[in-house]
Amino acid sequence: IDGQAQNACSTPVWSGEGRHIQTAQGLPEDKVGRVVLAAFVEEQAAQCGYCISGILVRITGLLKQHPDADEAQIKETLSRHLCSCGAHARILRAVRLAQKN
């Protein structure tokens, strides 16, 4: 919301009124979002789809603010997201690939 990552599960809908809300569905129209999406496809970093929307939006936000984020920043950004499929290594590779592009 307004460029800041928010957890959808704990954000009341009414709090978004009149504010810019970026969702995973809007990432193809976003310059950084397109790069992140392409990297995740190339690395096959998404498996079941349960957590990936939040991860994609969160990583896009991180790379907009910190394009050269280091490993610790990336892991901290992803620390609230749980991937039960075990795609963690592929997700990290995708983030690094997005940073190169």
Side-chain angles (χ1 to χ4, degrees):
I1 299 175
D2 292 336
Q4 297 296 314
Q6 301 285 321
N7 291 335
C9 58
S10 61
T11 303
V13 174
W14 57 263
S15 69
E17 186 174 353
R19 300 168 76 185
H20 174 73
I21 299 174
Q22 174 71 61
T23 66
Q25 289 78 12
L27 292 178
E29 286 82 42
D30 182 275
K31 181 180 177 183
V32 176
R34 279 192 302 276
V35 171
V36 170
L37 287 170
F40 271 67
V41 169
E42 186 167 330
E43 291 295 333
Q44 297 181 15
Q47 192 161 327
C48 77
Y50 182 77
C51 66
I52 205 66
S53 295
I55 290 172
L56 290 167
V57 171
R58 182 83 59 162
I59 288 300
T60 298
L62 172 69
L63 296 183
K64 282 181 167 186
Q65 293 179 354
H66 305 284
D68 297 321
D70 63 22
E71 190 85 6
Q73 288 173 299
I74 295 166
K75 287 182 178 179
E76 174 60 28
T77 297
L78 293 172
S79 67
R80 294 183 175 196
H81 298 274
L82 175 63
C83 171
S84 297
C85 297
H88 302 90
R90 290 179 293 184
I91 290 168
L92 291 173
R93 282 196 311 264
V95 175
R96 288 188 217 104
L97 179 60
Q99 286 178 305
K100 291 178 186 176
N101 296 324

